[in-house]
Amino acid sequence: MAPFTHILTCLFGTGSWVSISGMWVELPLIVPEIPEGWYLPSYLSVIIQMANIGPLFVTLMHRFRPGWLNEVAAILFIISLGTMASFLLAFFWKETLVIGGVRHSVTLLVLTFFLALVDCTSSVTFLPYMMRLKPQYLTSYFIGEGLSGFIPAVVALIQGVGVVQCHNQTLTTNGTLGNATLGYELKAYYQPANFSTQTFFLFLSTMMAISLLAFLFLNIHLAVGRQRNSGWYHDRDLGVDKGGLALRHQEQSEERPMIRPLRNLKRNACSSFGTGTYMWIEVLFIFSMLAWVNAVTNTVLPSVQSYACLPYGNNAYHLSVTMAALANPLACLIAMFFPIRSLLLMGTLTVIGTGIGAYIMGMAVLSPCPLLVHESSGAVLIVTAWVFCVLTLTYVKVIIGLILRDEGHSTLVWCGAVVQLGSLLGAFSMFPLINIYKLFTSGDPCNTKCLK
């Protein structure tokens, strides 16, 4: 296990979702400058789902034209596209056009579509590419994927995005005898950023460029080439077996101590998935859990994070965003030292994480007056809930990634497709609840109008 290869793999993984993650955390600075205002998040949700045309195309190519799509060329293209789109955003994100008599941020929306296309397609290209390296490096990739959300969040905090100060404002009314003072209330004032949105987008472009360079080194550097898993590489669906079978079986036995090693012939005859290790009912369980945890962590809970956290104050909101982003790579780091491939553990952690997520959802429903809203313990509890929810469910995703990596190249393609499918279903479920039926009410970081 070469440290240099782990570093390159981690840097390669940071290019997976850094662009869209950066767009979300930068919204408080973008929204006041564009005509869409706070309708922009709704536009972004639709654009990101439209970008799923990328993973759909890749998945169909692997299914109906196996071997036709050059994986390395595809990854080079999408990372280069993301780098260029982020760079152009830095200079043109404020540009608008009049369409149908209404001014729109066409440049911002179009370039965001390309960023989303890059990030969505990474799920079905980056993961299958990891089949070319030894299994140990998959966890490093997941750490990088987690950092793709954590690093932009930290930079946004340094930038000062969404920093609020509460000031007294006098409430007055006009009367026949003059203005009358009704009282005072706290009003939120957002502080100017420490550096511009243009600088932030240039930073995202730099991160994408670093990911591109790391990917190039993974392909051409001799030190990395010696770590290649050529003797173990096997794709059952393509009928490719490049030799080294004895070593491959030895590697599997070393890498998968938690999987039941003995399967009778009847059990194997019931399964035609991957290497035949799992029956179809277990395969269905694995993919169902994969879709569920990605729906919860990628779309369902993030869409209500402001409702669940803002009533406890602006600090609670920002801590929940940052600490949850930190919990993602932390879970991957834990998985590097404890790569337990257990369906029982996977199911147990999914139930625990879902239960914590249910508490978060409950607080969002109760907004702007959730439980313990006037108590510091309430803020501590909601931040802790976010951290442990992301920690447990991210570990589940890593477990599933390790399991499916052992089952073959095409399995990782389907893994990426299910990740996007789960996120898509989560977004479609939450959009009408938030934007149409208005089931959630935002809290005010300065005023909590709730009875003690």
Side-chain angles (χ1 to χ4, degrees), residues 11 32 41 44 47 66 140 145 156 158 173 183 193 203 219 231 251 258 315 323 379 391 418 451:
L11 291 176
L44 293 183
I47 288 172
S140 299
E145 190 177 73
I158 296 172
T173 182
F203 168 76
N219 283 279
E251 176 76 7
M258 298 303 295
N315 288 335
M323 297 304 293
L391 190 69
V418 172
L451 296 177

Side-chain angles (χ1 to χ4, degrees), residues 269-286:
C270 295
S271 176
S272 60
F273 176 82
T275 61
T277 304
Y278 298 95
M279 295 196 311
W280 276 108
I281 187 65
E282 293 174 317
V283 173
L284 180 61
F285 173 73
I286 291 171

